[in-house]
Amino acid sequence: MPCYRCGARQTDPVRGASPWKRGVRHEAQVLVCPDCQRAPDLDLDACATCTSTTLICRLGEVECRACGLVRLAQASSPGTPDLSALSAEVEAALNRVLGRK
Ligand SMILES: [Zn+2]
Ligand SMILES: [Zn+2]
């Protein structure tokens, strides 16, 4: 994953902690390169409790690495399937298989 801000690609992983920073921006996981971490206009989502921007986004949840707070990502999160549309599709398929009208 490249830096969300400048598009730089992470070079060979060095042993130990990566200088790249993980964050969440608009409900999506992003990486920030060491240069851009110093930018004053970093537009990362911050934890509502401790204002840390060290967040990770996974499976519709955003977790704060600093205080452990977990909140649901907003519904507009890309890649989240629309479950109601999905279940309607499954029901229609079942109806076809079972010969229901
Ligand atoms: Zn960058
Ligand atoms: Zn926090």
Side-chain angles (χ1 to χ4, degrees):
M1 188 155 56
C3 171
Y4 90 86
R5 192 167 174 275
C6 71
R9 298 214 161 251
Q10 200 165 7
T11 44
D12 303 334
V14 208
R15 284 183 183 278
S18 167
W20 285 56
K21 178 187 165 75
R22 282 163 152 273
V24 172
R25 183 171 180 266
H26 302 165
E27 310 293 336
Q29 184 79 61
V30 294
L31 272 178
V32 187
C33 73
D35 286 346
C36 290
Q37 285 172 36
R38 290 193 292 267
D41 61 339
L42 270 188
D43 185 22
L44 295 175
D45 291 358
C47 174
T49 303
C50 70
T51 71
S52 164
T53 54
T54 310
L55 309 178
I56 50 172
C57 184
R58 47 145 206 238
L59 297 173
E61 289 178 343
V62 177
E63 180 183 336
C64 174
R65 299 301 299 272
C67 73
L69 181 85
V70 177
R71 66 168 171 86
L72 288 179
Q74 261 142 59
S76 61
S77 169
T80 305
D82 185 340
L83 288 178
S84 61
L86 193 67
S87 62
E89 220 167 275
V90 168
E91 199 182 335
L94 270 178
N95 285 343
R96 273 198 301 277
V97 170
L98 298 175
R100 291 195 208 136
K101 290 260 145 50

